[in-house]
Amino acid sequence: MHDPATDVPADPVDRARAEWAAVHPGLDTSPIAVSGRLRLVAAAVDRLAEEVVREEELTRAEFDVLCALRRSRRALTPTGVSAATLASGAATTKRLEHLTARGLLARTPDPRDGRVSRLALTPEGTALVDRVLPRVLAAEGRATAALGADARAALADHLRTLLGALG
């Protein structure tokens, strides 16, 4: 199966839609054409980045925490890290504990509220992000290399619009 209009071979989403059409012929499965492919592409890109950060004995989610702190250039609270990485508090806590134990993060009490800690990268954490980020970006660039520059820009614009509509 393939799309004769584009001469692109069928992918798992096409196969799933064909299977659904056999089970529920009247069901509109067109939303899967976008949402299913978004999930598959996101998973594939994550796998490529994960390969890079695994060499540093990190998960992609842990690397995202380090990147959030590096980008902010200031100490963040655990809640701020959760917001920056779109992770739950429990997941963030686990990641922060591991990164602190590795010496990549430093925790200091907030001077105004001792119940809250401030998190900052250690020099080792900063060096790790600065060393690994170019490799992660290169892997992500390879993932989108099949699209030309104009197609990548258009896709980025469409995804920005979709994200904005979803809130």
Side-chain angles (χ1 to χ4, degrees):
M1 171 179 22
H2 80 297
D3 181 348
T6 62
D7 201 33
V8 174
D11 63 15
V13 174
D14 293 323
R15 289 188 289 278
R17 291 185 70 199
E19 291 166 355
W20 278 120
V23 174
H24 290 291
L27 187 63
D28 176 14
T29 61
S30 63
I32 298 171
V34 174
S35 63
R37 287 186 178 97
L38 282 173
R39 282 192 297 279
L40 292 173
V41 167
V45 171
D46 279 348
R47 279 192 302 275
L48 291 172
E50 188 79 35
E51 290 174 15
V52 173
V53 299
R54 192 177 319 124
E55 294 171 10
E56 302 291 338
E57 299 177 4
L58 294 170
T59 65
R60 175 60 193 252
E62 290 168 339
F63 186 68
D64 288 347
V65 167
L66 298 174
C67 287
L69 288 162
R70 183 69 172 118
R71 286 190 314 267
S72 74
R73 298 182 306 175
R74 61 181 170 80
L76 296 175
T77 64
T79 301
V81 171
S82 290
T85 60
L86 305 176
S88 71
T92 299
T93 297
K94 181 179 176 184
R95 293 170 189 147
L96 295 176
E97 288 171 358
H98 180 245
L99 295 168
T100 301
R102 285 208 38 202
L104 301 172
L105 289 183
R107 288 178 181 256
T108 56
D110 185 292
R112 290 173 286 190
D113 184 350
R115 298 170 296 172
V116 176
S117 62
R118 293 280 172 180
L119 303 157
L121 292 176
T122 62
E124 294 82 5
T126 299
L128 185 145
V129 172
D130 290 350
R131 182 177 72 248
V132 176
L133 182 60
R135 294 178 16 227
V136 168
L137 293 173
E140 291 176 350
R142 287 189 301 277
T144 60
L147 301 174
D150 290 344
R152 283 192 305 272
L155 179 58
D157 287 342
H158 293 309
L159 292 172
R160 181 183 303 106
T161 299
L162 183 59
L163 281 171
L166 295 171

